[in-house]
Amino acid sequence: MITELYKYPVKGLTGQKLDTLPLIAHEGIEGDRAIAIARTPHVFDPASPKAEIKTKFLMLAKDEALANLETRYDTDLKELVIEKDNKSVLSASIESNDGKQAIADFFYNYLNKDDIEPRVVHAPEHKFTDISVVSKEKMRAISMINLASVRALEKAVGKPLDVRRFRANIYFDTGTPWEELEWLDREITIGSVAAKCVMLTKRCPATEVNPDTGQRDIRLPLELRKHFGHVNMGIYAEVQSSGNVLIGDKVIAI
């Protein structure tokens, strides 16, 4: 059963929690990872968009302080709102030059790293998903986490784990740990939507970051390998039919 639904308008920043998640055949989720903050200029050309490795953008794996920000993206106004310690610190357009510069300046000053010169980047129909470099089809894949597997990992490490560490679009619970890892190359249904599991999700250091404190407190990739012999947590699925997914819907392997 599906328990939580999210999309992430800006790569590496706050997820938007939803009650209903529209899925689009062969496109995935509209507006998911549609914007990114490049670490330096010239990483991404909007006029000729090309997938780049995730380390070329601001991301939790390298920039854990991002977890201490609360961000919202206003789709209608095309504005990014940033809050810190429950106070609004910036509201700026991702379309205007002044707005993009204000966002870039904020992240440069906030992260205080000499090796970055941030730039806001986006392009129509382009998604900055972690596996976008694999193929255009994988760029549009959605990420899914089985909470039964998270509970197995919690038991192994002896600590509760906030599922926000895994930044999935769909959190579901089959009651059976790790069964989703057997779904590779299989058809699945997500509520009324048809999909196919196309990749397992290999976890990176981003999962080490506590989403409440912004501190690296558990080396989850290492713990996964230590206790289970792999670094997988979750699956990527390509959407094959369109429809709305709801909390309470079932995820079933065919």
Side-chain angles (χ1 to χ4, degrees), residues 178 221-232:
W178 310 118
L222 183 65
E223 295 288 349
L224 279 165
R225 187 172 296 281
K226 173 183 174 182
H227 296 287
F228 302 103
H230 60 75
V231 294
N232 300 310

Side-chain angles (χ1 to χ4, degrees), residues 143-253:
S143 58
M144 304 175 64
I145 293 284
N146 182 4
L147 295 181
S149 299
V150 176
R151 289 195 297 272
L153 182 56
E154 285 180 324
K155 184 177 180 180
V157 301
K159 296 179 181 179
L161 298 174
D162 190 322
V163 296
R164 290 179 296 163
R165 290 176 184 262
F166 303 106
R167 298 181 65 80
N169 298 120
I170 297 175
Y171 293 94
F172 64 101
D173 196 338
T174 68
T176 303
W178 310 118
E179 72 169 295
E180 72 280 8
L181 302 188
E182 304 300 320
W183 295 355
L184 186 61
D185 297 325
R186 291 177 61 183
E187 305 290 330
I188 63 174
T189 56
I190 310 168
S192 62
V193 174
K196 183 178 181 180
C197 176
V198 292
M199 283 185 69
L200 304 182
T201 308
K202 298 183 184 300
R203 305 319 311 202
C204 74
T207 58
E208 299 175 356
V209 181
N210 186 312
D212 285 325
T213 68
Q215 300 297 311
R216 297 184 185 276
D217 58 2
I218 307 175
R219 299 178 67 184
L220 286 184
L222 183 65
E223 295 288 349
L224 279 165
R225 187 172 296 281
K226 173 183 174 182
H227 296 287
F228 302 103
H230 60 75
V231 294
N232 300 310
M233 176 63 80
I235 58 175
Y236 284 106
E238 292 179 3
V239 180
Q240 297 181 329
S241 69
S242 300
N244 291 329
V245 171
L246 308 172
I247 302 294
D249 282 349
K250 294 182 178 181
V251 178
I252 300 171

Side-chain angles (χ1 to χ4, degrees), residues 13-14 65-71 82-84 89 106-107 110:
L13 300 185
T14 308
L66 295 176
N68 289 321
L69 301 174
E70 186 72 24
T71 62
I82 305 175
E83 295 180 356
K84 176 77 166 63
V89 293
F106 171 83
F107 283 105
Y110 175 69

Side-chain angles (χ1 to χ4, degrees), residues 107-127:
F107 283 105
Y108 177 78
N109 293 319
Y110 175 69
L111 294 173
N112 192 27
K113 294 182 176 182
D114 293 335
D115 63 341
I116 65 171
E117 190 179 345
R119 290 290 186 272
V120 178
V121 293
H122 56 94
E125 299 183 8
H126 188 87
K127 296 178 184 292

Side-chain angles (χ1 to χ4, degrees), residues 11 33 36 38 42-54 56-57 121-129 131-136 139-140:
K11 182 179 183 63
R33 278 91 170 184
H42 314 303
V43 163
F44 182 82
D45 180 4
S48 182
K50 183 179 72 171
E52 298 285 354
I53 58 174
K54 61 185 180 181
K56 292 189 177 183
F57 306 94
V121 293
H122 56 94
E125 299 183 8
H126 188 87
K127 296 178 184 292
F128 297 92
T129 50
I131 59 171
S132 61
V133 292
V134 178
S135 68
K136 287 186 176 180
M139 176 188 294
R140 298 173 174 85

